[in-house]
Amino acid sequence: MPVPIPRQRAIPAVESGQAPAASPGGSSMEEAPRKESKVENNTHTNLTLLLIEDDPGGSTVVPEMLDAAGKPIRVRTARNLTEAGRLLTDDVHCILLDLALPAPGRTGEEDELGVLKHVLELAPRHAVLALTASGDAERGAEAVRVGAQDYLFRDELDGRLLSRAIRYAVERKRSDTAERRLAEGRLRAQENRRLERGLLPTPLLEGSSLRFAARYRPGRSRALLGGDFYDVVRTADGTVHAMIGDVCGHGPDEAALGVELRIAWRALTLAGLCGDELLGTLQQVLEHERADDEIFATLCTVDIAPDGRRAGLCLAGHPSPLLARPGRAARLLPYDNNGPALGLLPGARWPRMQVELGAEWSLMLYTDGLIEGRIGEGRERLGQDGMVEMVRRQLAEGLRGEALLRAAVNEVRNLNGGELADDVAVLLLDRTV
């Protein structure tokens, strides 16, 4: 049923893309200041409507409208899409589009909603109301399906109805945008989880009695991986090989290089290389793959004998692992023969040290992010000694495996007073009798 039409007003010329017309008693230059002052008085309105229409019979008359706060809704008009592009500023909240307007380069027979599709591409962040002929509800519904927030009939532009439609369209657009961003965030999170699963290693310990746990926290905000990397594999002879490393820097290039080094280490280890020969080959990989000659990587490798009682240790500029055994205080393994980091010295060598583990033990490999966090607000760092004391206390409290690593990383973060600036990777291998 037609809605009664209240008092209406024509759109002020100053709000459109046209020049103001001259009045009988003066020139257009004399009229312009009065029009501009009217625009200034409307600068505090909450909503702005852009009308895009081309009525050969004369200007579409838009009734006076009020927003939810009772303030007048500001109206601009454009006769074509070129003018619309100039008037489509950030303070425009809603577009009222006449579907009868021809689309650029198309005839109405080619695509009757071509102009709407063009406007949706031109203003993807704005709410859009479609204006169609009375009774053409099918076309209006199709416009909503294409992307408009709602549709109105051209000869039923009641002020109250139009005001409500504008507010509804703006809120629906905000809701749609928020829902789309939420959906995109969920998809991104799913992709990140899949990517992370692909980049972080899956330990190959089938047939081994050792228990494995790891904890990883990148230093970059919202990053999947940092420059730290680790891996554990068991070879056919029963030896368990563990590795942890750290590429200098925290960017995506360093993270990618860390993944390349980890994959290369696994391939070389499964091929039978170990010790100095393995580290020398990894250095060649790093030298070929790094983006800058100053990039280097520290590395710690451990190969645990099939009987689980002894291990070979190689250090390339990396902190020494921590060994904990029942009835004895946790301590660091020897690091006197620590070789240089990979990528620093061509032709470097890395001695392999033999260490006794015993019948029952826990071996923790870590990167320097775990020991370089601050203690309180001063400049003092936790350091290796502080980390050893912390782990001793946590072991005395009965923490083991995942719980131990989680407690260690959380305590280091709390001591630092917030998130750590550096990447943190911790790997734990346990042997129990």
Side-chain angles (χ1 to χ4, degrees), residues 197-205 212 230-233 262 266:
R197 284 195 298 269
L199 295 180
L200 290 177
T202 301
L204 298 180
L205 287 173
F212 166 85
Y230 66 87
D231 204 351
V232 178
V233 298
R262 177 187 67 76
R266 174 175 284 200

Side-chain angles (χ1 to χ4, degrees), residues 56 79 81 107 134 174-176 235 242 255 269 313 323 333-334 359 373 405:
R79 300 300 181 189
L81 296 178
T107 63
S134 178
R174 289 173 180 169
S175 176
D176 291 345
T235 49
T269 299
L313 171 66
L323 176 65
L333 291 180
L405 298 189

Side-chain angles (χ1 to χ4, degrees), residues 113 116-117 119-121 123-124 126-130 139-151 169 172-173 176:
L113 294 178
L116 173 60
K117 296 175 182 178
V119 168
L120 291 174
E121 294 175 359
H126 292 76
V128 177
L129 288 172
R139 190 179 187 186
E142 182 66 12
V144 172
R145 189 192 66 79
V146 168
Q149 273 61 58
D150 205 347
Y151 68 93
R172 182 175 178 181
K173 183 64 177 180
D176 291 345

Side-chain angles (χ1 to χ4, degrees), residues 162-405:
L162 183 54
S163 299
R164 186 168 63 247
I166 293 172
R167 296 197 300 270
Y168 168 78
V170 170
E171 292 304 320
R172 182 175 178 181
K173 183 64 177 180
R174 289 173 180 169
S175 176
D176 291 345
T177 300
E179 185 176 350
R180 185 185 71 252
R181 289 176 178 172
L182 181 61
E184 291 173 350
R186 288 172 178 167
L187 288 175
R188 191 181 304 112
Q190 293 173 0
E191 292 173 357
N192 288 347
R193 284 192 293 270
R194 288 195 295 269
L195 180 61
E196 189 172 23
R197 284 195 298 269
L199 295 180
L200 290 177
T202 301
L204 298 180
L205 287 173
E206 185 177 357
S208 173
S209 61
L210 301 183
R211 294 183 302 177
F212 166 85
R215 195 80 174 167
Y216 195 98
R217 181 188 292 269
R220 291 184 297 131
S221 175
R222 302 182 69 179
L224 292 174
L225 294 176
D228 293 2
F229 53 98
Y230 66 87
D231 204 351
V232 178
V233 298
R234 179 178 183 268
T235 49
D237 63 355
T239 303
V240 173
H241 304 262
M243 171 272 291
I244 196 165
D246 182 2
V247 178
C248 67
H250 311 291
D253 291 339
E254 289 76 15
L257 181 57
V259 172
E260 291 179 271
L261 291 175
R262 177 187 67 76
I263 295 173
W265 176 88
R266 174 175 284 200
L268 294 170
T269 299
L270 293 175
L273 276 68
C274 67
D276 186 73
E277 184 181 12
L278 172 59
L279 291 175
T281 307
L282 282 179
Q283 175 159 279
Q284 295 180 31
V285 173
L286 182 145
E287 290 171 346
H288 283 89
E289 296 297 330
R290 63 186 176 183
D292 191 291
D293 290 342
E294 297 182 357
I295 297 296
F296 63 91
T298 66
L299 199 70
C300 167
T301 66
V302 177
D303 52 278
I304 302 168
D307 63 6
R309 290 178 171 269
R310 62 189 184 279
L313 171 66
C314 286
L315 297 175
H318 200 87
S320 184
L322 180 146
L323 176 65
R325 292 185 288 185
R328 301 187 184 185
R331 63 178 179 87
L332 296 176
L333 291 180
Y335 50 89
D336 298 337
N337 291 328
N338 197 334
L342 303 182
L344 290 183
L345 298 176
R349 304 298 298 271
W350 295 271
R352 179 178 179 273
M353 297 173 283
Q354 187 77 17
V355 295
E356 294 296 326
L357 301 177
E360 188 171 352
W361 46 264
S362 294
L363 187 64
M364 189 174 83
L365 286 64
Y366 54 92
T367 57
D368 57 8
L370 189 68
I371 60 177
E372 292 188 349
R374 298 184 184 276
I375 301 177
E377 299 180 357
R379 294 180 175 270
E380 185 179 0
R381 307 280 183 173
L382 177 64
Q384 286 183 289
D385 292 340
M387 181 205 66
V388 171
E389 291 300 323
M390 177 187 69
V391 173
R392 284 175 179 173
R393 173 171 42 81
Q394 292 169 343
L395 287 169
E397 294 171 357
L399 296 177
R400 298 292 186 275
E402 290 277 0
L404 175 64
L405 298 189

Side-chain angles (χ1 to χ4, degrees), residues 21-28 30-31:
S23 64
S27 67
S28 60
E30 294 173 346
E31 254 326 269

